[in-house]
Amino acid sequence: MPAVTGRRRLGSVRCAGVICVASVPDSDADKQLSEGVMSILLSKLSKVLEEKYMKLKGVRHQITFFRDELSSMKAALEMLDSLEELDPLQKEWRDTMRELAYDIEDCIDSFLVLVNHKQDEQSTFFNRFSYELKTMKTHHEISNEIEELKTHGKGDIKVKVFSIVGSGGLGKTTLANQVFRQLRCQFECTGFVSVSRCPSIRSILRQMSTEVGITDDTSEDERQIIEKIRNHLKDKRYLIVIDDVWDVEAWKTVSLALFSNRCASRIVMTTRNAAVASHCSSDGGCVYQMEPLSFADSKILFCERAFRSRELYYPHLEKVCDEILVKCGGLPLAIITISSLLAGKHAKDEWDRMLTAIGCALAKNPDAGNMTKILSLSYFDLPRHLRTCFLYLSVFPEDYKIDKQCLINRWIAEGLVRDEQGWATYEVGENYFNDLINRSLIQPIDVNYGQAKACRVHDIVLDFITCKAAEENFVTSMDAMEHGHISEYKVCRLCVKNHKYEKVNKPTCLNLTHVRTLIMFGHIDGTFLFSFPTLRVLDLSNSGLEDSHLENIQKLHILKYLSLRSTLVTKLPREIGQLNYLDTLDIRGTIIPELLLSIAKLECLAHLYVERWTRFPGGLVGKMQSLEELEEFAVSCELGNFLQEFSQLSKLRTLKVHLFWWSDAKECQNYVSALLSSNLHHLYLTGGPLIMDKWYPPTPCIIQKLHIIGCYNRNVPQWISSLGSLTELQLWIHKMGPSDVEILGAIPCLRFLKIKTLCGINGRIIICSNKGFRSLTYYSL
């Protein structure tokens, strides 16, 4: 897809010095000449913008355009100047930009001569009139010349659509995501959205609105959202990925929001349908047909996954490996799945059994897709406890971004996570999550510090586990009911995927007396929510739920998990204090101003998620004795009182705190120092003011994860090297110096380090010793 790597505005081409290897010597004089031409021209353009010429119609837009574009070109040329040698491509680019600058300067000079031409004071009216006619004609000619120069500098400036087409499991989304990640820095506005087989257009448009940077969108009407996105994109160079488009109609609706500007914007879409790809790229775009991997590439991918090497170093496995690869048919998803099953196994009989299992599956059902058989092998290879957690993922819609934290808490509430000695229940659930990633059964998303914050299930995998979940009466979907698949057994987990945002009524054809989980996607009719006496998990996120829908919540006597995230709820009912078994309460994304004191009656509440503006009544925190995790607690006054309350929470392990800027600095210092002295394992601090130099945390301090962001500190405090259990650290500081590096390097167990500096240090730090950073595996500056 070479056209995707187009120029950013006039000339800052990606190949101008970032990814090319220097090889051809180049003189300093040439470099200085190029930069000199740009500097002179920029100065001249700025002068034109400031003076009387701006009164002439159309001039300001043209000159502003050139000044902005040439500024980008000058920055690229300065970057080239830092290289000792230039390769032929870099040199050609530099020379082209220099010649273009000369052409623009000639054009501007012609314009200045024209408008500065002074006539003789005694000229007649007729002469002045003739001059004006000539001026108008020449203005038109120069305007055309400028347009020609603009076209010469930006290349193809129309919006283009690049379609990636291929069967499921070939890696279309992976390729699109790689292109997106590599090129997004060249565009002013970017976004990545998934459409899927049964799209909710409103949800997709809202996701696109958020992705492109619209933060104040509360529109319900699709047309309003489309108009808002179009207005936002109309004068920006944007890169948008539209993933997993199944039909032309869905594309037509989504593409209405993509303003067809002339800023060299690019759209990348993926689909399984060649006709859809052809339609989307019909106006000057291109279609990239993905093919199965060659045998050689298949083997490289297989070996990297199974042996962490590009080659097979076990001769006794050579033949069976080749035979397995033949059955995978060049399908990346199949290769990754099988190689994950064989990772770390070097006995030939194990490999032979795998080959036989694949062969038997094909022999029994030759019409079924290879991927289904391969997934079946992976599924039955899972331990039974992990198998149920895997099946649970079938409750989510196609292409849904599944938050890890929410998923694990729901597993726990469902009783799917076993107790293991020496491990917290959540940590066991996190091990399950990572195990599914390592087996390539779920795709990690938002990876930070080497850990995925969310995941997505490939649609082929989702189809498989959805069928399995239905067969085992593990999950009942109202989508399936619409297609005539009605379970004759008691429903255990009911999933309602209301893509059309219509009101959903209680189904009468199902036995709902033992429903333990109710998950809603879309708008609901709240009248039937509380007719499930055995309900343990109730997730109503993004469902349009209102205050009146919660009036009878006390009827859910054994509810363990309640999510009201991103709903229209403005207050919690007092009766919520009667939910004696509630373990998790999530009210993020709501406008609930204050928690009720009745929350203190929730003796089992371990996980509480609120917005930073949600107030806590005095005395409430200290009464939540079972609390293990609290996000996000905001304080601006009475820090001492809240600190005393936190000291009473012996089980609290994770705390996210926001300190407002108007807080007293010394109080904040004492507050945070005391938190570090507590039993906390994970502490996340945002805001300020914070002065870290004078903190003296206890020895030993058991803190494992520490994030201090939102406020720049002068340097890295000396005491931080004494945190013997710290594995993850994020800091904002003014500037990194040698002493800061030495302190950080002395943290013995530090594995993940992320630093943000206020003053530039050229994107690098210098480590002068080989003694520091003994455990570091991830670093970001």
Side-chain angles (χ1 to χ4, degrees), residues 307-504:
F307 307 115
R308 298 181 182 270
S309 169
R310 291 171 63 88
E311 297 181 16
L312 179 59
Y313 292 108
Y314 302 92
H316 66 290
L317 299 177
E318 189 79 41
K319 184 179 178 181
V320 66
C321 177
D322 290 351
E323 290 175 339
I324 289 173
L325 286 174
V326 169
K327 294 187 181 298
C328 289
L331 204 63
L333 184 58
I335 295 167
I336 290 172
T337 303
I338 293 294
S339 58
S340 297
L341 287 172
L342 293 171
K345 299 177 181 178
H346 301 149
K348 186 174 182 297
D349 59 339
E350 291 184 283
W351 286 59
D352 287 335
R353 280 197 296 270
M354 177 62 69
L355 177 61
T356 303
I358 298 174
C360 290
L362 290 171
K364 289 178 182 177
N365 189 2
D367 296 327
N370 289 6
M371 200 58 230
T372 302
K373 305 175 191 63
I374 290 168
L375 285 173
S376 183
L377 293 171
S378 297
Y379 174 72
F380 286 106
D381 184 66
L382 292 171
R384 186 166 297 278
H385 65 275
L386 198 55
R387 203 179 296 172
T388 54
C389 290
F390 183 43
L391 283 185
Y392 192 87
L393 297 170
S394 64
V395 304
F396 297 99
E398 192 173 332
D399 293 322
Y400 191 83
K401 181 178 177 180
I402 305 169
D403 181 81
K404 178 179 76 171
Q405 187 184 64
C406 295
L407 175 63
I408 294 173
N409 284 334
R410 277 160 60 165
W411 281 345
I412 293 171
E414 291 271 7
L416 304 181
V417 179
R418 303 183 304 182
D419 291 331
E420 294 188 14
Q421 189 173 4
W423 292 83
T425 309
Y426 185 88
E427 292 174 335
V428 176
E430 198 167 24
N431 290 338
Y432 290 2
F433 182 86
N434 292 333
D435 198 353
L436 290 174
I437 289 177
N438 293 334
R439 292 170 181 264
S440 301
L441 293 175
I442 59 176
Q443 301 168 338
I445 298 176
D446 296 343
V447 178
N448 205 358
Y449 309 109
Q451 297 289 320
K453 300 296 183 183
C455 72
R456 185 173 283 126
V457 183
H458 193 284
D459 47 8
I460 293 178
V461 178
L462 182 61
D463 287 343
F464 176 84
I465 60 175
T466 299
C467 291
K468 280 292 180 186
E471 286 175 13
E472 300 184 15
N473 195 35
F474 191 79
V475 174
T476 302
S477 171
M478 288 187 65
D479 277 3
M481 291 170 49
E482 293 174 1
H483 294 91
H485 305 295
I486 301 176
S487 174
E488 60 186 27
Y489 302 103
K490 295 175 181 177
V491 174
C492 293
R493 297 170 183 86
L494 180 61
C495 179
V496 182
K497 300 171 184 175
N498 180 19
H499 302 293
K500 299 179 181 178
Y501 283 79
E502 299 170 347
K503 281 194 173 181
V504 178

Side-chain angles (χ1 to χ4, degrees), residues 495-539:
C495 179
V496 182
K497 300 171 184 175
N498 180 19
H499 302 293
K500 299 179 181 178
Y501 283 79
E502 299 170 347
K503 281 194 173 181
V504 178
N505 296 312
K506 182 178 179 180
T508 58
C509 55
L510 295 175
N511 185 342
L512 302 176
T513 56
H514 286 76
V515 174
R516 34 192 309 137
T517 298
L518 177 61
I519 301 171
M520 306 289 295
F521 296 97
H523 283 259
I524 62 170
D525 179 359
T527 57
F528 78 93
L529 284 180
F530 307 109
S531 56
F532 307 112
T534 59
L535 205 62
R536 290 163 174 78
V537 173
L538 180 58
D539 193 327

